């Protein structure tokens, strides 16, 4: 698959994107980080969807859009997975390569893929089927930024992954990048103390943008402050001021997806980042007011 889930294109023809044309950017929070398109399923994916979605795709009550949870909706993780285990969340799980590989490699953990692209979800179900239907995966077909803080309790995530998020390279679209203050405000409270936040991108400009937002966060600690830049030259322009250190080695649990392969084919470098969630200060026990 070369670009089945096409990232928004880098060429600026001045034509409104389907989401812009649909007014999605103005009615569904100010902006969204995704474009809905090509929802039709191939027969193989349709079959996987029909057979596996009841067990694997979570279906919380929806709000004003099908990508939003209804007010008051919650996920009971113990009920969802039938146990209590460390939770790995991948936002934008795409075709499910990482999610399914991780679920097989770590049966002791639970894995939640958050993805709005239905063909990607269906392909993930197909992969789950071929992998022997592991029980430690579920898919959430909602906008992660709005759904995760509404549905999950604080400090419930042990690992948060965002790999090859849509780069939104045009400057007028930078506000649509997933890694932006609203997303961070939504997800950082969900990270357990000491948990990991892992990211990867093939766009140097986006890597720089991530570092500028994440490094100063008091909630996060850069895990590889001395880690060198990826070796080699890049076909995309390296932004001025791009950090020379602080880059993570490739996360061993990250498998090569079609998006990484496409970036490499285009001559771009792969930028990995890893942070730990800083420990929250111990809160003093609140004094009860006199009766
Ligand atoms: C470029 S693809 C990368 C997919 C996968 N991580 C990989 O490396 O192959 C980015 C994915 O993020 C999804 N996405 C973007 N914003 C999202 C959001 N707010 N909530 C859920 N999924 C989102 C898109 O639908 C798309 O499938």
């Amino acid at each position: 698959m070369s670009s089945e889930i096409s990232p928004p294109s880098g060429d600026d023809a001045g034509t409104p994107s389907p989401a812009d044309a649909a007014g999605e950017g103005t009615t569904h929070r100010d902006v969204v980080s995704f474009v809905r398109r090509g929802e039709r399923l191939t027969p193989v994916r349709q079959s996987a969807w029909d057979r596996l979605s009841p067990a694997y795709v979570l279906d919380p009550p929806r709000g004003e859009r099908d990508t939003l949870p209804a007010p008051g909706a919650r996920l009971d993780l113990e009920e969802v997975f039938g146990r209590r285990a460390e939770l790995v969340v991948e936002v934008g799980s795409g075709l499910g390569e990482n999610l399914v590989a991780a679920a097989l490699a770590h049966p002791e953990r639970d894995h939640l893929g958050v993805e709005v692209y239905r063909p990607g979800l269906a392909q993930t179900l197909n992969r789950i089927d071929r992998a022997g239907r592991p029980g430690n995966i579920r898919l959430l077909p909602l906008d992660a930024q709005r759904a995760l803080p509404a549905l999950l309790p604080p400090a419930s995530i042990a690992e948060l992954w965002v790999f090859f998020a849509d780069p939104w390279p045009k400057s007028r679209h930078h506000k649509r990048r997933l890694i932006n203050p609203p997303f961070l405000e939504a997800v950082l409270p969900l990270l357990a103390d000491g948990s990991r936040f892992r990211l990867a991108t093939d766009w140097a400009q986006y890597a720089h943008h991530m570092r500028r937002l994440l490094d100063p966060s008091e909630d996060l600690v850069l895990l590889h402050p001395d880690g060198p830049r990826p070796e080699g030259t890049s076909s995309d322009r390296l932004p001025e001021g791009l950090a020379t250190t602080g880059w993570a080695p490739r996360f061993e649990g990250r498998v090569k997806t079609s998006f990484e392969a496409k970036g490499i084919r285009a001559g771009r470098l792969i930028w990995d980042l890893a942070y730990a969630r800083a420990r929250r200060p111990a809160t003093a026990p609140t004094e009860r007011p006199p009766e």
Side-chain angles (χ1 to χ4, degrees):
M1 188 210 64
S2 54
S3 60
E4 186 173 1
I5 310 172
S6 347
S9 86
D11 58 305
D12 194 342
T15 328
S17 72
D20 290 341
E24 200 160 7
T26 52
T27 54
H28 176 192
R29 75 170 161 95
D30 288 335
V31 281
V32 289
S33 54
F34 53 88
V35 176
R36 306 293 297 278
R37 59 179 145 203
E39 297 280 298
R40 270 172 65 116
L41 301 183
T42 62
V44 170
R45 288 179 177 172
Q46 185 67 55
S47 158
W49 183 271
D50 294 342
R51 288 179 293 111
L52 275 78
S53 66
Y56 284 97
V57 181
L58 303 177
D59 189 19
R62 300 301 203 276
E64 78 242 36
R65 282 181 170 250
D66 68 345
T67 52
L68 298 179
R74 299 274 181 278
L75 276 186
D76 179 336
L77 290 169
E78 210 170 328
E79 197 177 296
V80 164
F81 289 101
R83 64 175 183 175
R84 221 178 248 259
E86 283 195 346
L87 180 69
V88 178
V89 174
E90 183 177 10
V91 171
S93 50
L95 305 181
E97 295 100 318
N98 275 296
L99 201 66
V100 177
L104 293 178
H106 289 281
E108 78 286 3
R109 291 178 171 173
D110 290 331
H111 300 79
L112 181 66
V114 193
E115 177 55 71
V116 288
Y117 181 62
R118 194 159 170 268
L121 293 165
Q123 181 58 29
T124 306
L125 292 173
N126 191 21
R127 210 177 282 281
I128 289 172
D129 201 18
R130 286 187 275 126
R133 303 191 180 193
N136 58 339
I137 304 188
R138 295 293 184 276
L139 303 174
L140 183 65
L142 301 183
D143 176 355
Q145 180 172 307
R146 292 281 290 274
L148 289 175
L151 297 178
L152 293 185
S156 55
I157 298 179
E159 293 253 349
L160 177 65
W161 298 347
V162 179
F163 298 146
F164 300 95
D166 299 311
W168 293 107
K170 301 171 200 170
S171 32
R172 71 189 165 94
H173 283 157
H174 285 180
K175 59 180 184 288
R176 302 194 68 157
R177 287 174 168 168
L178 183 71
I179 303 302
N180 260 325
F183 178 74
L184 299 176
E185 280 158 28
V187 298
L188 294 186
L190 306 179
L191 294 178
D193 286 1
S195 61
R196 299 297 190 248
F197 184 14
R198 303 184 191 281
L199 309 99
T201 180
D202 57 322
W203 290 86
Q205 296 277 347
Y206 201 3
H208 181 56
H209 171 89
M210 291 176 186
R211 290 290 301 273
R212 286 202 315 189
L213 286 176
L214 300 175
D215 284 14
S217 167
E218 289 181 358
D219 294 331
L220 296 173
V221 179
L222 189 65
L223 277 178
H224 301 275
D226 299 325
R229 272 186 189 177
E231 278 177 22
T233 52
S234 189
S235 61
D236 62 341
R237 189 175 62 78
L238 298 191
E240 219 171 287
L242 179 70
T244 51
T245 56
W247 305 100
R250 184 196 180 91
F251 167 47
E252 73 282 1
R254 187 167 72 67
V255 300
K256 194 194 256 185
T257 66
S258 50
F259 283 95
E260 176 172 9
K262 192 177 168 199
I264 292 171
R265 275 201 307 278
R268 292 188 291 271
L269 295 170
I270 305 301
W271 307 84
D272 272 88
L273 277 172
Y275 295 84
R277 175 63 161 91
R279 301 209 170 272
R280 292 161 172 86
T283 44
T286 43
E287 267 181 41
R288 294 182 65 163
E291 301 276 317

